[in-house]
């Protein structure tokens, strides 16, 4: 069934300048939605509308805003199957995973609904009598949120839920190829009673969004930018916001390493590598990039990993499969490029590569009309290889080997990303040495690189972000600004650092 959708600004449909067709990647003949795309002017207008609406929204007491977040959680829960079904239809994410993704929105609401009754400030002793010090968390204003489509509803909720709870208004620009899922989620949010203009959704391509964002920043109608996407675009967003003296919340790519120590439970490691390498067809920012395996267990691991990949089901995402199709044709085009990075010194241990077709089937699966790709494991990748150094969003995993833990840590950090990482070991000392040495914002011990829980700080270092963190209480610092207040009721001017009482110690005192 094809839907017609357009941007919604201030509760009203906005004008579209062009049309985009969001298709089902499992059956590319099916149009999921015809999406009206807005231009830069509409994006900037949405930010002005949000600015107006935010003034009133900030006056709504935080506990009442928390109740709205509670209602959003309930609405999402009550519509979970419909929303997950739409995610599967639009981006080809296997249904079980899509349901998990919807669950992540509910988890996020569960966490933040209570924050409405906390959003704590502090009372702090002054250095002078009859003077009191306080801190308050103030909303920042308008957040412009630009998100990717691999997690078309969960990752946006990490921005939207805390931003709204903290008293901000939001202009959300989702990925075009996941527009119908985003539109459905937007409707669930507004059904919870958000006043018009507090949350706006704008569909636009990258160039118009960027131009619109620049206009809005120039006009002073955006105070925070949230961006989830590639490191390349993240740099541009970071530059643009930096010129406006703002720091964006950037959640970018990853080249997430998994270190396998000689004492690891190899079957467990294979299971983790399979899920994080090929779940979501390798298109999570937390997907496994390179397995860094100790030389003594290298051959055993590679053999078992290749077998597990060979036995995994790839196919219709409505079925019980490890992976469905790629998200959209543009990701397939990019992925074809990554396949050309396979060099003569590499060894593909999984058989066929490339698109699954009648001429290049996977068992009896010929891919039909879907954008399906063979999962690929490449052994023998080395520092300096593009496959080792750069993110390869899609179903391809490299394998390298090491001799000492120090070398493994060095290899894990070498690509210069720093989102997620993992180590398989039964030795606590090794796990903690890895924790200290790894540059990633997140690490797992005996678990895969993906699957972060919604109430831990999510974010990366290096090429994976600018140090900002989402989720849990840590994201509050993205969507509020601390304000410090001092209140002197002494009736005289008490000068800080100068009119301070002194108690003189006897610093020459020594025990006999
Ligand atoms: C992403 O791919 O942008 O930790 C986020 C995970 C998911 C989120 C991934 N909960 O893999």
């Amino acid at each position: 069934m094809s839907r017609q959708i357009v941007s919604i600004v201030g509760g009203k449909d906005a004008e579209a300048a062009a049309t985009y067709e969001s298709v089902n990647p499992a059956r590319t003949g099916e149009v999921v939605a015809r999406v009206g795309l807005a231009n830069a002017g509409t994006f900037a207008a949405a930010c002005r509308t949000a600015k107006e609406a935010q003034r009133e929204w900030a006056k709504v007491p935080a506990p009442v805003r928390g109740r709205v977040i509670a209602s959003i959680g309930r609405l999402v829960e009550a519509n979970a199957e419909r929303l997950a079904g739409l995610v599967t239809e639009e981006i080809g994410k296997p249904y079980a995973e899509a349901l998990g993704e919807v669950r992540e929105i509910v988890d996020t609401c569960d966490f933040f609904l209570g924050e409405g009754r906390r959003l704590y400030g502090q009372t702090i002793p002054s250095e002078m009598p009859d003077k009191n010090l306080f801190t308050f968390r103030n909303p920042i204003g308008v957040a412009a949120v630009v998100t990717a489509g691999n997690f078309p509803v969960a990752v946006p909720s990490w921005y939207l839920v805390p931003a709204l709870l903290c008293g901000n208004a939001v202009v959300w620009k989702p990925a075009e190829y996941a527009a119908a899922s985003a539109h459905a989620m937007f409707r669930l949010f507004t059904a919870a009673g958000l006043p018009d203009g507090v949350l706006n959704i704008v569909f636009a391509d990258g160039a118009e969004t960027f131009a619109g964002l620049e206009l809005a920043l120039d006009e002073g109608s955006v105070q925070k930018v949230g961006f989830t996407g590639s490191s390349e675009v993240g740099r541009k967003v970071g530059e643009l916001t930096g010129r406006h003296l703002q720091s964006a919340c950037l959640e970018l790519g990853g080249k997430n390493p998994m270190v396998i120590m000689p004492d690891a439970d190899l079957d467990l490691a294979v299971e983790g590598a399979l899920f994080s390498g090929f779940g979501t067809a390798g298109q999570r920012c937390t997907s496994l990039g390179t397995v860094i395996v100790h030389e003594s267990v290298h051959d055993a691991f590679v053999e078992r990993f290749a077998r597990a990949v060979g036995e995994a089901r790839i196919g219709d995402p409505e079925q019980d499969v490890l992976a469905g199709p790629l998200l959209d044709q543009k990701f397939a085009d990019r992925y074809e490029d990554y396949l050309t990075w396979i060099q003569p010194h590499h060894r593909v241990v999984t058989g066929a590569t490339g698109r699954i077709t009648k001429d290049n089937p996977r068992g009896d699966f010929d891919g039909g009309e879907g954008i399906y790709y063979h999962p690929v494991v490449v052994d023998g990748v080395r520092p300096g290889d593009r496959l080792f150094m750069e993110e390869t969003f899609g179903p391809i995993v490299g394998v390298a080997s090491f001799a000492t833990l120090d070398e493994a840590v060095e290899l894990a950090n070498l690509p210069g990303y720093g989102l997620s990482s993992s180590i398989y070991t039964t030795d606590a000392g090794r796990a903690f040495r890895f924790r200290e040495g790894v540059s990633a914002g997140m690490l797992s011990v005996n678990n895969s690189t993906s699957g972060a829980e919604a109430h831990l700080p999510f974010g990366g270092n290096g090429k994976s972000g600018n140090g900002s963190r989402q989720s849990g209480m840590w994201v509050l610092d993205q969507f509020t600004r601390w304000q410090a207040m001092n209140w002197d009721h002494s009736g005289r001017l008490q000068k800080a650092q100068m009119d301070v009482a002194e108690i003189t110690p006897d610093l020459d005192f020594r025990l006999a």
Side-chain angles (χ1 to χ4, degrees):
M1 184 192 50
S2 166
R3 306 155 182 81
Q4 308 274 349
I5 56 178
V6 289
S7 309
I8 303 174
V9 175
K12 295 191 191 69
D13 286 358
E15 226 174 275
T19 306
Y20 173 90
E21 287 188 346
S22 173
V23 302
N24 179 342
R27 288 180 288 277
T28 52
E30 284 177 25
V31 175
V32 179
R34 293 201 163 72
V35 189
L37 297 184
N39 59 21
T42 302
F43 188 93
C47 296
R48 286 194 293 273
T49 301
K51 189 178 173 184
E52 280 300 307
Q54 192 264 337
R55 279 191 249 278
E56 292 308 308
W57 180 239
K59 290 182 198 152
V60 174
V64 179
R65 297 197 301 257
R67 297 284 297 158
V68 175
I69 299 303
S71 303
I72 293 172
R74 285 188 196 140
L75 281 159
V76 171
E77 207 159 22
N79 289 273
E81 285 86 3
R82 289 295 283 271
L83 188 58
L86 188 53
V87 167
T88 297
E89 185 187 341
E90 194 171 31
I91 61 155
K93 181 173 287 200
Y95 182 69
E97 260 189 70
L99 259 187
E101 161 151 12
V102 172
R103 177 80 241 169
E104 208 163 330
I105 310 171
V106 180
D107 295 346
T108 301
C109 291
D110 283 355
F111 184 86
F112 284 106
L113 67 91
E115 198 56 44
R117 288 186 185 272
R118 283 187 298 270
L119 218 56
Y120 293 144
Q122 293 127 332
T123 58
I124 298 163
S126 165
E127 58 194 39
M128 284 162 295
D130 297 326
K131 190 179 175 194
N132 289 292
L133 309 182
F134 307 88
T135 63
F136 296 85
R137 278 190 186 278
N138 286 341
I140 46 165
V142 173
V145 174
V146 179
T147 51
N150 61 334
F151 275 83
V153 291
V155 171
S157 79
W158 298 352
Y159 292 103
L160 269 47
V161 170
L164 295 168
L165 183 276
C166 291
N168 304 292
V170 177
V171 174
W172 176 28
K173 202 299 278 185
E176 303 91 288
Y177 63 90
S181 308
H183 190 261
M185 172 152 129
F186 172 87
R187 289 173 57 214
L188 292 173
F189 270 54
T190 53
L194 288 173
D196 287 347
V198 170
L199 175 63
N200 307 276
I201 190 165
V202 175
F203 301 108
D205 67 19
E208 292 294 330
T209 304
F210 197 83
L213 189 57
E214 188 158 16
L215 278 172
L217 285 162
D218 285 343
E219 288 173 4
S221 53
V222 165
Q223 284 69 40
K224 186 79 191 180
V225 177
F227 173 78
T228 297
S230 68
S231 303
E232 188 194 345
V233 179
R235 261 182 229 280
K236 292 185 185 143
V237 173
E239 270 172 31
L240 177 65
T241 48
R243 281 208 300 280
H244 291 84
L245 303 181
Q246 292 192 26
S247 59
C249 180
L250 301 176
E251 203 254 275
L252 311 176
K255 186 75 183 174
N256 307 298
M258 175 181 286
V259 169
I260 299 178
M261 298 305 292
D263 56 26
D265 175 336
L266 273 197
D267 287 328
L268 193 64
V270 165
E271 212 185 327
L274 185 68
F275 176 66
S276 55
F278 301 105
T280 328
Q283 302 164 110
R284 292 184 181 213
C285 58
T286 54
S287 288
L288 171 60
T290 307
V291 183
I292 300 169
V293 56
H294 192 264
E295 56 195 14
S296 66
V297 288
H298 169 273
D299 293 356
F301 173 80
V302 169
E303 196 242 294
R304 289 189 217 185
F305 188 29
R307 187 166 0 112
V309 173
E311 286 166 3
R313 277 189 73 194
I314 309 291
D316 185 349
E318 282 168 22
Q319 309 287 315
D320 178 21
V321 292
L322 174 66
L326 298 200
L327 301 164
D328 179 69
Q329 187 56 44
K330 82 172 177 194
F331 292 92
D333 295 343
R334 261 182 240 162
Y335 178 75
E336 297 265 0
D337 220 30
Y338 305 143
L339 289 175
T340 67
W341 298 355
I342 301 173
Q343 299 289 305
H345 68 269
H346 295 146
R347 193 165 68 93
V348 174
V349 294
T350 36
T353 63
R355 188 158 174 169
I356 299 174
T357 60
K358 275 201 180 62
D359 297 332
N360 186 22
R362 181 175 163 83
D364 52 14
F365 179 57
D366 69 11
E369 266 189 87
I371 314 169
Y372 292 95
Y373 276 79
H374 288 280
V376 178
V377 175
V378 182
D379 192 15
V381 300
R382 302 199 286 241
D385 293 349
R386 291 193 82 176
L387 275 186
F388 186 89
M389 299 302 287
E390 296 177 44
E391 181 178 37
T392 48
F393 206 69
I396 182 166
V397 170
V399 181
S401 57
F402 72 94
T404 65
L405 179 54
D406 286 344
E407 190 188 341
V409 170
E410 204 175 303
L411 288 171
N413 293 340
L414 201 61
Y417 291 81
L419 188 62
S420 185
S421 60
S422 141
I423 184 167
Y424 279 80
T425 181
T426 46
D427 179 321
R430 286 173 168 160
F432 277 103
R433 266 176 62 204
F434 181 71
R435 185 203 70 72
E436 275 169 30
V438 78
S439 62
M442 302 179 283
L443 79 145
S444 303
V445 180
N446 297 330
N447 195 357
S448 81
T449 55
S450 55
E453 296 188 34
H455 51 292
L456 275 181
F458 188 101
N461 306 317
K463 287 189 262 180
S464 296
N466 58 350
S468 53
R469 292 292 180 266
Q470 295 178 292
S471 297
M473 63 189 192
W474 300 272
V475 76
L476 296 177
D477 287 335
Q478 294 294 327
F479 292 116
T480 56
R481 294 250 159 84
W482 283 111
Q483 184 181 50
M485 176 172 102
N486 78 76
W487 185 336
D488 194 319
H489 55 97
S490 66
R492 57 188 192 282
L493 176 65
Q494 303 194 83
K495 300 193 206 79
Q497 295 94 42
M498 295 157 74
D499 299 337
V500 181
E502 226 173 316
I503 295 176
T504 314
D506 174 6
L507 292 178
D508 294 328
F509 174 80
R510 297 292 178 275
L511 289 172

